[in-house]
């Protein structure tokens, strides 16, 4: 097993680029009539968000994703402006993935997702030279919810390990994990060096509701480190079946929690690539997550 993150080198993210429609409403959604909201169009996607937040924290980042021709130029420009090297494969038929994020008065969001072109990101989109200069590879969990994505994840993970590079996975969606099946998902991510679920995903994957126990269970099963984000409770990490670190959250004035977990991951990975130890990296992730909830959308502004 390689180190959870190897200090030095850049970050390769393989995942999704999404067009986010963020609707912030202060009143409960009213059936059969209008609900007033402030609506914004933002670039998003779990993989792309991680890449942008990591770049904002000083990491050199490359992103592989698949988009539609409808918005490829816009997304490429947004990624470059965030300091990310975009490697975008253009789907000839499907549009870019789109998410409607309904954000309530407490800044909590509900997501409605059309995965679009991202569902067809697969082995044909891979090139070994994408690993050149990388010190760590991060796989968005959304890869694992399509057959081509699972095949690609296996290819990328195998290539990374052949070069001695560690691999991390963000499980991404408890709802999609349920549809795929917990056992299938765990089999697909077996051997991952760093697993990054939120509390709900950790509970689903481990069968344990208490986050520290869930993290310990998953770390024993997967063989690597497991970091669980706890929202206002901060974050904790387990390794080899035992709790290894825990840090508090950073206070923030939340306006939109969209992408907070992605920001945490980007901040943590950037810190580890710079040589930070695990508790320091957890703290860096919490600081980055706090910055994320203070802006609308899932990217740094």
């Amino acid at each position: 097993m390689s180190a959870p993150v190897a200090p030095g080198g850049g970050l390769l993210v393989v995942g999704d680029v999404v067009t986010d429609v963020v609707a912030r409403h202060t009143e409960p959604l009213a059936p059969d009539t209008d609900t007033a909201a402030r609506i914004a169009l933002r670039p998003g996607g779990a993989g792309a968000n991680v890449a942008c937040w990591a770049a904002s924290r000083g990491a050199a980042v490359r992103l592989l994703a698949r988009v539609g021709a409808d918005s490829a130029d816009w997304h490429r420009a947004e990624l470059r402006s965030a300091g990310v090297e975009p490697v975008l494969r253009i789907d000839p038929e499907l549009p870019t993935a789109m998410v409607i994020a309904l954000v309530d008065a407490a800044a909590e969001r509900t997501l409605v997702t059309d995965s679009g072109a991202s569902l067809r990101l697969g082995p044909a989109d891979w090139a070994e030279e994408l690993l050149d200069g990388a010190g760590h590879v991060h796989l968005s969990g959304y890869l694992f919810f399509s057959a081509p994505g699972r095949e690609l994840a296996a290819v990328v993970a195998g290539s990374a390990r052949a070069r001695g590079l560690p691999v991390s996975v963000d499980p991404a969606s408890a709802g999609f994990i349920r549809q795929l099946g917990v056992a299938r998902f765990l089999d697909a991510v077996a051997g991952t060096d760093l697993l990054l679920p939120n509390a709900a995903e950790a509970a689903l994957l481990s069968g344990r509701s208490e986050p520290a126990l869930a993290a310990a269970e998953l770390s024993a099963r997967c063989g690597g480190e497991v970091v669980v984000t706890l929202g206002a409770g901060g974050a904790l990490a387990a390794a080899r079946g035992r709790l290894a670190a825990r840090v508090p959250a950073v206070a923030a004035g939340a306006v939109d929690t969209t992408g907070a977990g992605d920001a945490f991951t980007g901040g943590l990975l950037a810190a580890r690539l710079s040589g930070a130890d695990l508790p320091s990296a957890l703290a860096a992730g919490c600081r980055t997550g706090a910055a994320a909830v203070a802006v609308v959308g899932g990217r740094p502004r």
Side-chain angles (χ1 to χ4, degrees):
M1 180 68 66
S2 56
V5 178
L11 174 65
L12 172 64
V13 179
V14 181
D16 49 322
V17 166
V18 174
T19 300
D20 284 346
V21 180
V22 183
R24 292 185 293 151
H25 56 97
T26 57
E27 300 295 328
L29 295 175
D32 301 321
T33 187
D34 296 309
T35 300
R38 298 185 65 180
I39 300 175
L41 192 70
R42 293 282 188 268
N49 293 345
V50 169
C52 290
W53 284 107
S56 78
R57 295 316 191 244
V61 186
R62 178 179 293 144
L63 170 70
L64 173 64
R66 191 174 182 90
V67 298
D70 57 312
S71 58
D73 291 342
W74 178 57
H75 280 295
R76 187 179 291 109
E78 290 288 333
L79 289 162
R80 284 176 175 159
S81 71
V84 174
E85 178 191 344
V87 181
L88 301 184
R89 310 307 192 196
I90 310 301
D91 194 287
E93 298 172 351
L94 294 180
T96 301
M98 181 170 286
V99 168
I100 299 173
L102 304 172
V103 184
D104 64 18
E108 294 299 326
R109 83 285 189 272
T110 300
L111 305 180
V112 183
T113 303
D114 180 347
S115 297
S118 66
L119 283 178
R120 300 210 292 203
L121 184 66
D125 298 313
W126 176 243
E128 289 290 324
E129 57 265 29
L130 291 172
L131 290 170
D132 293 348
H136 183 83
V137 176
H138 179 70
L139 304 177
S140 169
Y142 288 103
L143 285 171
F144 296 89
F145 306 132
S146 73
R150 288 190 294 275
E151 293 174 17
L152 174 61
V155 169
V156 176
S159 295
R161 291 184 182 114
R163 296 195 185 200
L165 300 177
V167 178
S168 58
V169 174
D170 175 359
S173 170
F176 286 164
I177 291 171
R178 289 189 186 94
Q179 292 179 21
L180 177 66
V182 168
R184 288 184 70 191
F185 182 84
L186 288 173
D187 285 345
V189 301
T192 296
D193 301 281
L194 177 61
L195 191 65
L196 294 142
N198 62 25
E201 293 155 1
L204 175 63
L205 292 171
S206 68
R208 293 180 176 271
S209 59
E210 206 287 316
L213 294 177
E217 176 85 12
L218 287 172
S219 70
R221 175 163 183 168
C222 295
E225 290 181 347
V226 174
V227 170
V228 179
T229 54
L230 306 171
L236 58 83
R240 295 180 294 277
R242 295 185 178 183
L243 186 67
R246 186 165 194 157
V247 299
V250 174
V255 297
D256 178 11
T257 57
T258 303
D262 305 330
F264 174 92
T265 296
L268 180 145
L269 293 178
R272 292 305 296 269
L273 281 166
S274 70
D277 61 17
L278 183 57
S280 298
L282 289 177
C286 287
R287 289 194 298 271
T288 312
V293 301
V295 299
V296 176
R299 304 268 185 92
R301 301 290 288 172

